[in-house]
Amino acid sequence: MDEAQQRTVVKGRWMFETASGSPLVTPDASASGNAMTLQGGAQVGSGWVDGGVTLNGVDGYGVTSTVPVDTLPGRRFPGVLIQGDFLHILRGDLAEVVRACERGDLAEAGESAGLLLASLDALLARYSTALEEHQIRRPY
């Protein structure tokens, strides 16, 4: 079956109503049973419908053992979710490269470009791993 024709299947649903252990682990309400571990300053809190997660804006995040994949309608391959703060960081890294180039400081431009490339490589590796876990061929 073509990836674009697959029907949507819930692979993870974290309601953040409860969490236990150290670090905190909140259960997955889907059939996948892919619990989420809350790291840094992440805490279970109130939400709109069920529970919610509160992030401290510094180092709070949640992590699961597998990566959910979402294919948007009309798209052949899954996309990548980039949070606004990470997008802002990537943009800032690229701005550093541009400023260093404008100053003619190729050493700094190269160093900044290397950091940006490392961030994008890590994101691409996570994407590739998620596709492999879900047996979806890569679009490249």
Side-chain angles (χ1 to χ4, degrees), residues 70-86:
D70 184 20
T71 303
L72 298 172
R75 301 296 306 198
R76 183 171 173 83
F77 294 98
V80 174
L81 172 66
I82 299 179
Q83 289 189 219
D85 58 342
F86 185 59

Side-chain angles (χ1 to χ4, degrees), residues 21-25 36-44 53-63:
S22 181
L24 291 173
V25 177
M36 180 179 290
T37 302
L38 303 178
Q39 299 285 349
Q43 297 289 322
V44 170
V53 65
T54 303
L55 304 175
N56 64 1
V58 178
D59 62 352
Y61 65 97
V63 65

Side-chain angles (χ1 to χ4, degrees), residues 8-66:
T8 302
V9 177
V10 175
K11 291 291 190 171
R13 183 168 187 244
W14 304 275
M15 297 188 293
F16 303 107
E17 292 179 311
T18 62
S20 60
S22 181
L24 291 173
V25 177
T26 188
D28 178 4
S30 77
S32 299
N34 190 19
M36 180 179 290
T37 302
L38 303 178
Q39 299 285 349
Q43 297 289 322
V44 170
S46 61
W48 286 65
V49 177
D50 300 313
V53 65
T54 303
L55 304 175
N56 64 1
V58 178
D59 62 352
Y61 65 97
V63 65
T64 61
S65 61
T66 61

